[in-house]
Amino acid sequence: MNAEIVSVGTEILLGEITDTSAPYIARRLANLGIDVYFQDTVGDNYKRLESVINLAESRSNLVVLSGGLGPTEDDITKLVLAKHLGLALDTDEHALQKINDFYKSYPMKEPTTADMQAKYIHGATVLPNDNGFAVGMFLETKQCDYLVLPGPPVEMQHMFTKYALPILAKMASGNPVIASKVMRFFGIGETELEDQLKPLISNQSNPTLATYAKHNEVTLRITASGSKKADVDNLIDGMVQKVNAIVGKYFYGFGDDNSLAKVAVSLLKDKKLSITAAESLTAGMFQSRLGDVSGVSEVFSGGFVTYSAKVKENVLHIPTEVINDHGVVSRETAVWMAQNSKKILNTDVAVSFTGVAGPDQLEGHPAGNFWVGIALPDGDVKAKEFNFGKDRNEIRDYATKCGLKMIYDNLK
Amino acid sequence: MNAEIVSVGTEILLGEITDTSAPYIARRLANLGIDVYFQDTVGDNYKRLESVINLAESRSNLVVLSGGLGPTEDDITKLVLAKHLGLALDTDEHALQKINDFYKSYPMKEPTTADMQAKYIHGATVLPNDNGFAVGMFLETKQCDYLVLPGPPVEMQHMFTKYALPILAKMASGNPVIASKVMRFFGIGETELEDQLKPLISNQSNPTLATYAKHNEVTLRITASGSKKADVDNLIDGMVQKVNAIVGKYFYGFGDDNSLAKVAVSLLKDKKLSITAAESLTAGMFQSRLGDVSGVSEVFSGGFVTYSAKVKENVLHIPTEVINDHGVVSRETAVWMAQNSKKILNTDVAVSFTGVAGPDQLEGHPAGNFWVGIALPDGDVKAKEFNFGKDRNEIRDYATKCGLKMIYDNLK
């Protein structure tokens, strides 16, 4: 079974927005074992959209159309497909009610084409839009199957996962229940993770495993299908255990929306531990990442950016001899930075960063050489050396994540 | 004249990487007045790639192929196109030399297909690859014109701008010289910028103006063509002046790779002024942005993250009465934070941030309400209130940029 993804929208065609929906859909289909051979982008133009539909149905079993379901005159996807297939448009009463209710309570003129959003092609299964107004649909025809999805990612991704996936999974595997879990890893590259998990990846068809490189991280999506929810969950949980038996030291959490900062802050909150930081190399990036997490003020009240040696001495009271004897890029400086910032702000935990962002060397150390220190509630202070030979801002991002992972490793 | 963009690569097709090249090329073509009607993505598969080429040349005057020029067996774009057109592949000796030199000095086995990267289709104009090995090409045929570009954005964008653009510009406008300049704005939205510049945008065909929304910023690309470089530069400079006469207060610099942080740091360096910061709302993001800029240590030696009121009092020595009387979200607190951090670290400039990141209110202020303070070399301290009603991390990014723009506005 092979699929084709058609992105509809003049803004994508002109490069005004980058299409993230096609890659999302492609990944999810690949995960189901559905091959994608072609992707097309076409504007909001009747003739050209129909020509693409015509072509796609001639060479693919499943045609996924995304975009062009909105309330404006430009949104013509359903119209073009219905006319092309010679089928009528029906109205989903529930969706229509939702649209009417909205414009009743909203001080905005209802577009004349607003009710197009509630239409679906006669015979199709309606896919509700929990995050918007335009319904999607799944339609089987003699030529091929059509999946029609809205363009906005927040609407499309939710509709895909909740309503389209079960239909596609049944088609692809014969199983009505499908679920997936995303595992997150830090400190291992995608190729290395794939290599280590090769025995699991190649011998498995249910669950399937797929790795994705993120910004200095890797995620693994485990997808299973079956006839009952409990069986599917068991398959996934069993696989999580097998994966962690091999690469558990790099694992830190579940979920597509998760992050090292969220995991670290939630651990600190659970254990009621306050934190501060002294940042040289990262210049505030670590504390800013803590600040990304809503509610962090429960455990974080502030910290220091100590970029120069002088500020390390004057603000953090690090003895001049420590820096003179060992240099700023050293275990000793990292340890003093962590322990003194912890003392000054009287917190339970403190993390420190010192090293070379580059592009130039520092004290004979190459760019990418850095130390992360962590002062723990029991008075213990640890420091770890890292080498990460990329560009300045990748090094700083990586160092920030090393600090967050050290919180996880030491407090979990 | 209408164009079609074909992205070649199985990784794009499977959603493993997001295609940013197609939107880039689409924008640049739109800027030349070349319409893009279709985009296609196809994997590294001989038959399917040829079918897409076949289709594209039947419906488009210009077919832009990007990707599949590398040294592996999978990289088949040139091969497929040459066979499709019944033309031979010639070798660019300069490119071949570069490849051979590289593998001579590098401890890595040369792929057997490495020299494919130096090949071009007989009769084509070779486009050198200054950032890599695979040459691109421009080829006119009876059916249509072909532009073949490498996949990696850093190679493709440079080749497009330096070598393809002049050819396309001449084709599109009849003028051999084309140049463009990117102006950057902060504090104005894309729609508002377009509205204000409407008289310039709609009455101009040379130069053309195109706006692009960036992360809480907007850029404007001015593109002009002509027969002589000096004339083209004059056209652009004249337009820059007209634009700045209307929206100059939001302008801060030129260039696609520029940023508010770079502009602010380079101003500080030029004027030999040191800087520090006291960050509440932004929790280190402002200092981290300074740290993004290589060489910032000349003017930045450190600063403070003062998230809680207590740390504002204990570390920055802000009198308790100031916070009690005015609240932390106030002009007074912003002013004290800036002036005391400047005093403690003995710098020429200090910037402070205090406000509500949300999602919850603070002291009765809604999320998105914040103050930015700046203490200047002459002893003056200013503070400005902002309201930016988006989500937590957008508010923090925006606040950081407000601080950088205040440096620019006050020191330029």
Side-chain angles (χ1 to χ4, degrees), chain B residues 22 53 55 58 63 100 175 191 195-196 199 215 223 226 241 298 309 344 351 410:
Chain B
I53 290 173
L55 173 72
S58 76
V63 177
N100 290 339
N175 283 325
T191 314
D195 280 354
Q196 294 213 29
H215 189 195
T223 305
Q241 283 179 24
E298 269 180 48
I344 295 169
V351 182
N410 282 285

Side-chain angles (χ1 to χ4, degrees), chain B residues 297-317:
Chain B
S297 56
E298 269 180 48
V299 293
F300 175 65
S301 59
F304 308 91
V305 178
T306 56
Y307 215 57
S308 70
K310 215 178 115 195
V311 171
K312 289 179 186 75
E313 293 172 26
N314 293 352
V315 175
L316 295 181
H317 315 305

